[in-house]
């Protein structure tokens, strides 16, 4: 057990919402929360249908609610028609045309503000531009953009014309871009000539060029390039590449939305699984949007005068739901930030909260921990009195970081919502309602109303409170992944395995419920690592390593890390002799860069060990448990009698 989990299980402090917060909250007090849960339990479909009617704007109202006839390919509100971009923009215009939609702060501190009317115009013009290039409903558009107003415009423009976006995080490699283009058969790529992070230029367009040159990308007809920075650009492919500003220049400022069916795909987002190949998580239009709106209202207790700031990149699900869609769907003013928390110094977040009068701040435990390390007293130099609510996402938050966040950032007055969810769930699943639930540091507390989460054993039977088990969702919910792009079989196998009658949605996490029923997430039960809140498949990194001509075999495990949550440790067998000294060090550096090129810098192993072999059972199975112990520097106390070649353990214990 890691020290985090150890300390979490002994955590028993309660932080009830203040009377002042509860009094103004949308859901105030536990009785109100329980009432919503009861409503959902008594009339599940009626509960969701009511919310979908009240909180979304429909072109054509739905008459069907949940359709389970083709389980586990569930369908929600099937015959309803709507448009997500209409819901995020047009419906606000009568009242909110001049309200700020986005306050964008660039890496170097330049601030750009756009109102709802201006954002609507930008989205319409790009949507018309995309149409002029022949993009229509159902076409896939790959978006590879820096954090910017235009990244949101690109996503919203796709939504407006019913095109399916596939956003790839700007830190992913050319190879990753290439694979995602091929898998989704994208017709168009939207990128920027460059992005800027921490004062450094990130050459996105060059990476797209490289990705397209790798072959297999014949589906791509055009590349739209936003000019983010003025500099000497790389090669320009005539007939394929087109500047964003040229594309939109003469486009009309209105664009009739393309009405889509509720379950028509809004986007695909690739995420890591337990095989080497990332999964294309396919989300619906209406169900997904409902999840985004509900959680803006329930979890973030959204109020019209809020200034909302989610620090996630649009390349991740958090940036989809809580940057590109959720805040706009409720008509919020939000901050979008291009840069990194530590540039020009570790006070950047706090300075921005002060300057933009942020009320709701949503970030990841890894960011909190690194900022504590770099300047635990820094927030005190800023006026953070505008804050009223704090959020955490991506991994369990250790109680120490929670308490710091609460005291030092939140001044002891802001509730913390620790939100458990996944790429596949589209929006929050288990999280406190800040005006109702007394929080406990390290617990994501209780499921949102209508989310039937439970902890079960291997046979799918509920476990007693206090006993750990497997986290499942027992009923389909609207914002749930609809399928894996092009791979329905993998969808079934990954999330609705036979062991649970194919009925329960298996999240891939283990969890515990304490005596009061609070949920505590313990971590993944599959071969997926959580590094700085990002999901990485061990198999994906292993495949990247063995693709190197010098590598014969590789095994990757996670090691608990004080800042990143988990770090990547790779055990490598070379085709040639096992190197040592300077030679080994050079090869470690080479393989780290290799993985960065294959996947992206986030997947670089923190530690690489060389051995003549890997510890295997006589039947040839790699003993990962042993490797995890070695990675942690623990002495081997486990039974090694089934091991084929015990001598290699000593080799693997040597650091390079
Ligand atoms: C996995 C999902 C959800 C958006 C960011 C990550 C872990 C996420 C929490 C939390 C404990 C958490 C789980 C989950 N996770 N949030 N509040 N407490 N664990 O999305 O990349 O799809 O990863 O992140 O292990 O399964 P993702």
């Amino acid at each position: 057990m890691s020290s985090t989990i150890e300390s979490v299980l002994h955590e028993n402090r309660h932080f009830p919402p203040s009377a002042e917060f509860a009094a103004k909250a949308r859901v105030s007090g536990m009785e109100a929360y329980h009432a919503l849960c009861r409503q959902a339990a008594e009339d599940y479909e009626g509960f969701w249908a009511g919310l979908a009617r009240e909180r979304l704007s429909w072109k054509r109202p739905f008459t069907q609610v949940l359709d389970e006839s083709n389980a586990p390919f569930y369908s929600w509100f099937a015959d309803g028609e709507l448009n997500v971009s209409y819901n995020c923009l047009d419906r606000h215009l009568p009242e909110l045309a001049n309200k700020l939609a986005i306050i964008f702060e660039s890496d170097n501190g330049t601030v750009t503000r756009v109102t709802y009317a201006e954002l609507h115009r930008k989205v319409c013009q790009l949507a018309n531009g995309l149409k002029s290039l022949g993009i229509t409903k159902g076409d896939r558009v790959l978006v590879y953009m820096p954090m910017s107003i235009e990244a949101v415009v690109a996503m919203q423009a796709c939504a407006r014309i019913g095109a399916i976006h596939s956003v790839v995080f700007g830190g992913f490699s050319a190879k990753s871009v290439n694979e995602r283009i091929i898998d989704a058969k994208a017709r168009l790529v939207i990128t920027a000539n460059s992005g800027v992070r921490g004062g450094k230029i990130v050459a996105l367009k060059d990476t797209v060029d490289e990705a397209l040159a790798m072959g297999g990308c014949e589906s791509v007809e055009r590349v739209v390039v936003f000019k983010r920075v003025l500099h000497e650009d790389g090669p320009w492919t005539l007939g394929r590449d087109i500047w964003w500003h040229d594309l939109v220049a003469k486009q009309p400022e209105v664009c009739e939305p393309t009405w889509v069916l509720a379950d028509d795909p809004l986007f695909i987002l690739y995420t890591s699984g337990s095989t080497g190949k990332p999964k294309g998580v396919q989300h619906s239009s209406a169900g997904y949007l409902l999840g985004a709106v509900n959680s803006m209202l329930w979890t973030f207790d959204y109020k019209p005068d809020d200034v909302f700031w989610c620090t996630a990149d649009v390349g991740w699900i958090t940036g989809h739901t809580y940057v590109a869609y959720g805040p706009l769907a409720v008509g919020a003013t939000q901050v979008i930030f291009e840069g990194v928390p530590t540039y020009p110094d570790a006070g950047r977040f706090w300075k921005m909260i002060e300057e933009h009068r942020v009320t709701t701040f949503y970030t990841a435990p890894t960011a909190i921990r690194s900022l504590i390390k770099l300047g635990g007293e820094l927030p005190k130099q800023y006026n953070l009195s505008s804050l009223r609510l704090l959020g955490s996402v991506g991994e369990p938050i250790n109680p120490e970081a929670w308490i710091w966040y609460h005291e030092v950032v939140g001044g002891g007055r802001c509730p913390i919502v620790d939100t458990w969810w996944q790429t596949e769930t589209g929006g929050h699943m288990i999280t406190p309602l800040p005006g109702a639930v007394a929080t406990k540091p390290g617990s994501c507390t209780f499921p949102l109303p209508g989310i039937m989460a439970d902890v079960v054993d291997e046979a799918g039977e509920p476990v007693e409170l206090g006993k750990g088990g497997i986290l499942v969702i027992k009923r389909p919910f609207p914002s749930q992944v609809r399928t894996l792009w092009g791979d329905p079989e993998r969808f079934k196998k990954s999330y609705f395995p036979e062991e649970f009658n194919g009925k329960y949605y298996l999240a891939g996490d283990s969890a515990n419920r304490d005596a009061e029923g609070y949920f505590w997430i313990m971590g993944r039960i599959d071969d997926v690592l959580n590094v700085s809140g990002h999901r990485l498949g061990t198999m994906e990194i292993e495949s990247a390593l063995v693709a190197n001509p010098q590598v014969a075999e590789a095994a990757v495990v996670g090691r608990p890390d004080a800042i990143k949550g988990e770090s990547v440790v790779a055990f490598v067998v070379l085709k040639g002799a096992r190197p040592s000294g300077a030679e080994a060090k050079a090869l470690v550096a080479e393989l780290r860069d290799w993985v960065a090129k294959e996947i992206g810098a986030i997947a670089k192993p923190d530690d690489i060990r060389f051995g003549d072999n890997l510890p295997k059972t006589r039947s040839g199975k790699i003993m990962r448990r042993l490797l995890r112990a070695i990675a942690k520097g623990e002495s081997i106390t486990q039974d090694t009698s089934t091991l084929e070649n015990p001598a290699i353990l000593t080799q693997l214990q040597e650091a390079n």
Side-chain angles (χ1 to χ4, degrees):
M1 231 194 266
S2 78
S3 56
T4 313
I5 291 173
E6 194 89 59
S7 62
V8 149
L9 285 179
H10 295 125
E11 181 59 54
N12 221 353
R13 282 169 284 190
H14 279 68
F15 293 82
S18 68
E20 197 202 341
F21 191 99
K24 293 186 199 147
R26 284 174 186 272
V27 181
S28 179
M30 278 311 263
E31 193 31 57
Y33 165 69
H34 286 309
L36 285 167
C37 295
R38 261 197 315 273
Q39 221 181 306
E42 281 159 17
D43 177 10
Y44 193 67
E45 291 195 28
F47 173 77
W48 287 115
L51 290 167
R53 285 194 191 103
E54 176 200 327
R55 296 181 168 177
L56 303 182
S57 302
W58 296 86
K59 178 69 175 174
R60 192 176 73 161
F62 56 89
T63 61
Q64 294 153 268
V65 185
L66 169 62
D67 181 354
E68 300 182 78
S69 59
N70 188 25
F73 302 94
Y74 301 106
S75 155
W76 283 93
F77 320 121
D79 60 346
E81 277 181 7
L82 82 179
N83 178 280
V84 170
S85 158
Y86 176 91
N87 273 269
C88 293
L89 300 168
D90 307 48
R91 69 163 165 169
H92 305 314
L93 292 183
E95 284 179 11
L96 306 179
N98 296 322
K99 181 177 179 177
L100 283 184
I102 298 176
I103 302 169
F104 172 69
E105 182 161 323
S106 74
D107 189 67
N108 73 10
T110 316
V111 177
T112 313
R113 295 179 172 83
V114 293
T115 63
Y116 271 91
E118 287 162 344
L119 187 62
H120 177 258
R121 256 197 312 276
K122 282 177 189 283
V123 169
C124 285
Q125 285 194 307
L126 184 67
N128 285 326
L130 297 179
K131 278 191 192 171
S132 76
L133 298 177
I135 300 300
T136 58
K137 180 167 176 260
D139 285 342
R140 273 80 59 205
V141 173
L142 187 125
V143 176
Y144 189 62
M145 292 282 282
M147 281 299 279
S148 51
I149 293 169
E150 287 71 19
V152 173
V153 171
M155 294 162 80
Q156 287 282 343
C158 289
R160 195 157 190 93
I161 62 172
I164 303 167
H165 60 68
S166 161
V167 182
V168 179
F169 170 58
F172 275 123
S173 66
K175 178 114 187 287
S176 299
V177 173
N178 172 272
E179 288 166 359
R180 283 156 178 73
I181 287 174
I182 295 172
D183 192 73
K185 295 200 181 58
R187 281 190 71 188
L188 187 110
V189 176
I190 305 180
T191 188
N193 62 348
S194 293
V196 194
R197 282 169 65 81
K200 289 194 212 95
I201 297 266
V202 187
L204 295 164
K205 166 65 163 54
D206 291 353
T207 306
V208 169
D209 283 342
E210 209 187 311
L212 293 174
M214 284 174 171
C217 299
E218 294 72 24
S219 61
V220 174
E221 294 159 31
R222 307 300 290 256
V223 178
V224 176
V225 188
F226 172 62
K227 198 177 223 136
R228 166 67 188 90
V229 285
L230 287 175
H231 62 65
E232 189 104 16
D233 287 307
W236 195 254
T237 305
L238 282 174
R240 186 197 73 184
D241 300 347
I242 175 166
W243 286 113
W244 174 306
H245 53 262
D246 289 337
L247 178 65
V248 301
K250 295 205 174 71
Q251 295 298 339
E253 292 180 353
V254 287
C255 170
E256 170 72 6
T258 300
W259 306 106
V260 303
L261 287 170
D263 274 320
D264 279 341
L266 178 62
F267 65 84
I268 308 167
L269 181 59
Y270 287 86
T271 188
S272 297
S274 45
T275 74
K277 195 173 173 268
K279 330 190 236 199
V281 169
Q282 180 181 319
H283 274 291
S284 68
S285 295
Y288 168 80
L289 190 64
L290 183 60
V293 173
N294 284 342
S295 46
M296 285 302 298
L297 300 179
W298 282 335
T299 313
F300 292 126
D301 186 43
Y302 167 69
K303 302 281 168 54
D305 54 358
D306 273 336
V307 177
F308 181 84
W309 183 16
C310 163
T311 66
D313 192 284
V314 289
W316 310 110
I317 190 68
T318 310
H320 279 59
T321 310
Y322 300 106
V323 178
Y325 292 110
L328 299 176
V330 297
T333 295
Q334 70 169 319
V335 172
I336 296 184
F337 177 42
E338 176 181 43
V340 297
T342 49
Y343 180 84
D345 60 54
R348 185 68 184 266
F349 276 179
W350 324 129
K351 183 161 180 277
M352 286 180 60
I353 291 172
E354 173 179 300
E355 282 178 5
H356 303 302
R357 306 296 297 151
V358 171
T359 62
T360 311
F361 181 64
Y362 190 35
T363 196
T366 186
I368 297 168
R369 288 191 298 261
S370 70
L371 292 174
I372 294 174
K373 194 171 161 205
L374 292 168
E377 299 296 310
L378 265 180
K380 295 184 177 152
Q381 296 175 18
Y382 298 88
N383 178 355
L384 306 181
S385 62
S386 57
L387 287 172
R388 67 175 193 96
L389 181 58
L390 300 172
S392 171
V393 58
E395 53 175 316
I397 178 166
N398 48 308
E400 299 71 27
W402 195 104
I403 294 290
W404 180 86
Y405 198 28
H406 187 254
E407 297 300 324
V408 184
V409 179
R413 88 189 161 271
C414 308
I416 296 181
V417 287
D418 175 356
T419 59
W420 177 86
W421 59 298
Q422 312 179 291
T423 303
E424 293 86 344
T425 68
H428 299 161
M429 297 291 283
I430 309 181
T431 168
L433 293 191
V437 176
T439 53
K440 297 184 188 183
S443 167
C444 53
T445 75
F446 301 110
L448 284 178
I451 300 300
M452 306 302 182
D454 205 351
V455 179
V456 300
D457 62 19
E458 306 278 329
E461 296 300 323
V463 297
E464 283 166 52
L465 292 183
K467 289 224 171 84
I470 299 163
L471 183 63
V472 294
I473 314 297
K474 293 178 148 175
R475 295 283 281 137
F477 50 96
S479 69
Q480 158 174 14
V481 48
R482 290 295 185 268
T483 186
L484 293 178
W485 182 260
D487 204 346
E489 273 312 305
R490 190 176 178 194
F491 171 75
K492 276 202 217 174
K493 259 197 250 146
S494 311
Y495 306 114
F496 298 92
E498 296 295 322
E499 298 95 282
F500 302 106
N501 304 324
K503 282 219 154 142
Y504 293 171
Y505 168 82
L506 189 76
D509 281 323
S510 62
N512 221 312
R513 294 185 73 186
D514 66 19
E516 292 173 291
Y518 280 67
F519 283 74
W520 301 79
I521 306 297
M522 296 310 185
R524 301 289 305 189
I525 50 174
D526 49 12
D527 295 320
V528 168
L529 306 182
N530 189 327
V531 179
S532 301
H534 300 314
R535 213 155 122 178
L536 293 169
T538 52
M539 284 264 287
E540 220 177 318
I541 308 176
E542 287 163 8
S543 317
L545 284 165
V546 297
N548 183 292
Q550 301 170 81
V551 174
E553 210 182 354
V556 166
V557 299
R559 170 169 69 198
D561 182 278
I563 302 288
K564 301 206 256 185
E566 232 173 344
S567 66
V568 179
V569 181
F571 296 91
V572 171
V573 181
L574 297 169
K575 287 179 186 156
R578 179 173 170 261
S580 61
E583 200 197 331
K585 283 208 163 57
L587 192 53
V588 165
E590 192 184 326
L591 291 178
R592 277 169 47 84
D593 288 345
W594 175 270
V595 173
K597 267 206 126 10
E598 288 283 304
I599 303 173
I602 51 165
K604 273 187 182 184
D606 296 271
D607 188 352
I608 297 182
R609 311 278 178 92
F610 299 111
D612 292 325
N613 207 335
L614 295 174
K616 287 185 190 157
T617 61
R618 279 171 229 278
S619 60
K621 232 177 124 208
I622 296 176
M623 297 176 77
R624 284 170 188 280
R625 218 186 284 259
L626 267 180
L627 290 178
R628 277 193 281 269
I630 294 175
K632 276 202 250 179
E634 290 174 358
S635 48
I636 308 290
T637 52
Q638 308 166 41
D639 181 13
T640 53
S641 58
T642 52
L643 199 60
E644 176 77 34
N645 174 10
I648 52 140
L649 294 183
T650 330
Q651 289 181 355
L652 297 173
Q653 279 161 337
E654 281 170 32
N656 286 303

